[in-house]
Amino acid sequence: MNTALEIASVGKTFNEDSLSPTVAIGSITFDVREGEFISILGPSGCGKTTLLRIIAGLIQPTSGQVHIKTDSTERNLMLVFQEYNRSLFPWRTVAKNISFGLEVSGSSPKELAKRVDEYINLVGLKGFENHYPWELSGGMQQRTAIARALACHPNLLLMDEPFGSLDALSRNELEDDLLRLWKQASITILFVTHDIDEAIYLSDRIIVLSQRPSKVEDIILVELPRPRHQVESRSSNKFIEYRSKISRLLGRGKARE
Amino acid sequence: MNIDLKLVGFWGGEKHVNRIGIGKLSGFALIIALLLIWELLSRYSFIDSVFFPPLSTVIYALMTEINSQNIWIDISSTLARCFSGYIIAITIGIPVGILMGRSQRIYNLFEPLVEILRPIPSAAIIPVAILFLGIEDKMKIFVIVFACIWPILINTIDGVKSIDRILIETGNTFRLNRNQFLLRIVLPASSPNIVTGMRISLAISLILAITVEMISGNNGIGFFILDAERSFKFPQMYSGIIMIGMIGYIINWGFVKLTNRVMKWHRGFTATLV
């Protein structure tokens, strides 16, 4: 399989010029293959979000490089934030939020209407097209944000703890929906989370990061059969093995500080 | 089961829920009461009725004026000045405010100037404006622009500076060009503040239009009021004041109606944040 993303010795130091620079990311290297579902897992404050923001091009790394392989000249990636209520455009309805990326890239009105309709259906928001995002529940808002990102047909979808502020039930529901969408759209997903179970449940591989200054502690290949099932997958022996392994990894990371 | 709902009012006592809406009308009742007092005070000569004619006389003068051609020329020339200045202030204030809000360099360049000019009472620049621009509309509109621009500018800067970081980053992930970013993210996101500034300036534009019309020229409601006073036509003078009050009320009402529709999202959105 082709490589979709290469992270080569990426490091990030904040306040570099000051007397007390903060090394957020020591040096991180890993590859992501096309169509993979990769989770980045690590203790809070380990620079997961920083890494994602570097990949998204929102901030520059202090050292190292990010290569994004894509067919077109534009790097076609989208980012879904944890803070859906701050990321959605409150002045736009659900449909208008989803169409935003298409509008600015100059899609024809016909194409736009078709694709908005398609993604509204895909994320199960039929009937809520003309609602404003703030009129919806958290789960529905995050669905809107996911649809808005997917409607741009990205090769790479970056997700920053997207389900972190949802209740457990909506969370499981959205995890399954995300897996379904991932398969349908055949995209690459890079998913940041601090929830071990969520990472195992969703991913092909899990990049486990250490405490700050972070580096790759281990890369876990998750060989659970797909399609996964909230009850069966999570209660399988393999799942529990993975969980213990990762817990130990993260625990060791903590003890080192 | 019987649930007794009691609301605690402003003064801590029990508040009676008003079902027929008298609460809303109490403001109008007060106005009518004051107008009645005016009529009585002046009719029974508690106050010199030459300077202070009874309300009925003023209303009569108002009706006569409204039925004449001339007052409409005055009203329209006041409104024309008012809106010209207001629109110029908006066209300068919003773009400059957005630039100052977005670029720290531009902000550093203009901020001291703004802070020095802003506290100057607009009436104080009238003599300077007359020196350079004469006593006609150019000067009048300039003064209105000078007065109106600050609330719009300051509120726009505030609005732009306080846009949520996540919203800005979301915009960045869509790889917008500069215009798209300003028009589709920055402008709508700061529009609640911009509208606030525009509303303040709307009232100011009318105040300054009346002021400059009293300084020079021979038309406009400001001129009409001053002219009536100088020719001892006091009922007309009061009718002019009432007219300008009504015009101000209508303009503000229209503005609020219009912006409430456009900004419907903002009310709902902020309500969810508490």
Side-chain angles (χ1 to χ4, degrees):
Chain A
M1 252 199 276
N2 296 324
T3 313
L5 173 70
E6 257 180 66
I7 311 292
S9 330
V10 164
K12 179 71 184 177
T13 307
F14 288 106
N15 306 321
E16 237 186 318
D17 305 326
S18 76
L19 288 171
S20 54
T22 314
V23 184
I25 301 176
S27 175
I28 290 182
T29 301
F30 65 88
D31 284 0
V32 178
R33 288 188 286 273
E34 256 174 34
E36 254 191 318
F37 197 122
I38 297 272
S39 287
I40 300 178
L41 188 65
S44 61
C46 78
K48 306 184 289 275
T49 295
T50 307
L51 179 63
L52 210 63
R53 285 153 55 88
I54 289 173
I55 298 170
L58 293 176
I59 50 174
Q60 291 299 312
T62 315
S63 59
Q65 275 159 335
V66 175
H67 296 293
I68 297 163
K69 304 285 162 62
T70 163
D71 333 321
S72 59
T73 43
E74 281 213 33
R75 43 201 295 211
N76 197 0
L77 60 84
M78 287 307 305
L79 175 57
V80 172
F81 294 86
Q82 175 180 0
E83 301 90 341
Y84 45 79
N85 56 342
R86 292 163 61 194
S87 168
L88 290 169
F89 305 123
W91 57 88
R92 285 174 167 256
T93 59
V94 168
K96 288 271 180 190
N97 260 284
I98 296 176
S99 69
F100 184 80
L102 304 166
E103 279 173 38
V104 296
S105 64
S107 299
S108 70
K110 218 175 174 182
E111 165 75 11
L112 196 137
K114 204 186 108 208
R115 239 201 274 178
V116 168
D117 199 48
E118 179 191 340
Y119 280 92
I120 291 235
N121 283 322
L122 269 179
V123 296
L125 284 173
K126 190 91 199 139
F128 293 95
E129 294 91 335
N130 298 322
H131 283 65
Y132 284 96
W134 36 265
E135 293 175 313
L136 308 179
S137 69
M140 289 163 99
Q141 289 186 44
Q142 194 57 297
R143 280 166 201 275
T144 309
I146 292 170
R148 184 178 66 178
L150 289 178
C152 298
H153 286 177
N155 302 323
L156 178 61
L157 184 65
L158 307 173
M159 306 186 86
D160 184 11
E161 301 192 26
F163 309 143
S165 40
L166 297 179
D167 61 277
L169 281 178
S170 325
R171 195 175 180 140
N172 290 351
E173 210 179 307
L174 259 91
E175 285 165 358
D176 288 337
D177 284 342
L178 180 64
L179 287 178
R180 181 172 51 81
L181 291 168
W182 166 64
K183 204 166 178 200
Q184 276 174 10
S186 63
I187 50 172
T188 314
I189 295 183
L190 196 58
F191 189 98
V192 161
T193 179
H194 57 248
D195 183 326
I196 299 176
D197 285 22
E198 185 173 65
I200 302 169
Y201 182 70
L202 293 172
S203 318
D204 292 325
R205 286 191 298 153
I206 302 170
I207 317 271
V208 184
L209 298 183
S210 68
Q211 283 264 337
R212 226 177 45 203
S214 50
K215 57 180 190 54
V216 177
E217 191 78 49
D218 201 354
I219 296 179
I220 312 282
L221 183 63
V222 183
E223 289 175 306
L224 292 173
R226 290 188 191 270
R228 293 187 181 159
H229 187 274
Q230 288 286 1
V231 179
E232 284 154 30
S233 300
R234 283 178 193 267
S235 55
S236 71
N237 287 334
K238 263 193 166 170
F239 193 98
I240 293 159
E241 269 171 43
Y242 287 129
R243 186 200 284 148
S244 330
K245 186 173 178 189
I246 296 170
S247 303
R248 240 174 275 131
L249 273 172
L250 290 174
R252 205 178 65 191
K254 261 178 209 160
R256 211 174 260 170
E257 196 181 351
Chain B
M1 196 166 64
N2 213 343
I3 300 173
D4 194 16
L5 273 182
K6 277 177 187 163
L7 301 172
V8 178
F10 184 69
W11 301 109
E14 272 174 38
K15 188 177 161 191
H16 297 280
V17 183
N18 207 321
R19 288 204 175 77
I20 44 174
I22 283 181
K24 225 176 177 182
L25 291 177
S26 65
F28 289 101
L30 177 66
I31 292 174
I32 288 167
L34 288 172
L35 291 175
L36 262 176
I37 292 172
W38 172 359
E39 177 74 20
L40 294 176
L41 278 180
S42 128
R43 190 158 293 279
Y44 297 104
S45 307
F46 291 110
I47 301 174
D48 189 337
S49 65
V50 176
F51 293 159
F52 194 65
L55 175 67
S56 47
T57 317
V58 172
I59 289 178
Y60 180 75
L62 183 68
M63 289 309 174
T64 319
E65 288 304 333
I66 287 176
N67 286 322
S68 79
Q69 291 276 309
N70 291 338
I71 197 68
W72 292 105
I73 297 172
D74 284 323
I75 290 176
S76 55
S77 47
T78 298
L79 288 180
R81 274 179 203 118
C82 182
F83 286 132
S84 313
Y86 183 59
I87 286 164
I88 295 173
I90 289 172
T91 356
I92 301 172
I94 295 177
V96 174
I98 287 180
L99 288 176
M100 286 178 71
R102 282 299 295 163
S103 154
Q104 192 60 39
R105 201 180 297 170
I106 297 177
Y107 183 80
N108 291 341
L109 180 66
F110 284 113
E111 196 261 353
L113 184 68
V114 168
E115 287 311 311
I116 285 172
L117 292 178
R118 192 163 67 98
I120 301 176
S122 316
I125 66 144
I126 295 177
V128 187
I130 290 176
L131 278 182
F132 286 94
L133 299 169
I135 56 169
E136 296 303 321
D137 270 350
K138 236 192 282 177
M139 173 278 285
K140 294 176 183 170
I141 291 172
F142 173 81
V143 174
I144 296 170
V145 172
F146 183 87
C148 288
I149 204 162
W150 309 118
I152 296 174
L153 185 69
I154 299 299
N155 279 285
T156 306
I157 296 173
D158 278 353
V160 172
K161 278 189 180 270
S162 60
I163 298 176
D164 196 318
R165 179 181 57 84
I166 299 281
L167 211 51
I168 299 276
E169 291 186 343
T170 303
N172 286 334
T173 61
F174 282 97
R175 321 216 158 259
L176 308 178
N177 62 38
R178 180 193 279 258
N179 283 345
Q180 286 174 327
F181 187 76
L182 292 179
L183 290 176
R184 290 169 184 272
I185 306 279
V186 175
L187 192 63
S190 55
S191 60
N193 295 64
I194 296 178
V195 165
T196 304
M198 282 170 62
R199 190 174 168 194
I200 298 169
S201 288
L202 190 61
I204 293 178
S205 72
L206 198 57
I207 295 171
L208 265 294
I210 298 298
T211 310
V212 288
E213 282 168 359
M214 288 185 172
I215 304 281
S216 75
N218 57 8
N219 59 28
I221 303 285
F223 169 78
F224 174 87
I225 293 169
L226 196 69
D227 189 52
E229 189 254 347
R230 284 177 177 160
S231 23
F232 301 98
K233 295 190 279 190
F234 299 114
Q236 277 84 346
M237 181 190 79
Y238 284 105
S239 72
I241 296 171
I242 290 175
M243 260 184 270
I244 201 65
M246 282 157 64
I247 290 170
Y249 182 86
I250 292 167
I251 291 176
N252 186 58
W253 176 82
F255 184 86
V256 170
K257 276 273 164 199
L258 191 75
T259 50
N260 271 357
R261 183 179 295 181
V262 183
M263 304 302 295
K264 196 184 83 189
W265 67 268
H266 182 243
R267 272 214 196 149
F269 178 58
T270 43
T272 63
L273 296 180
V274 246

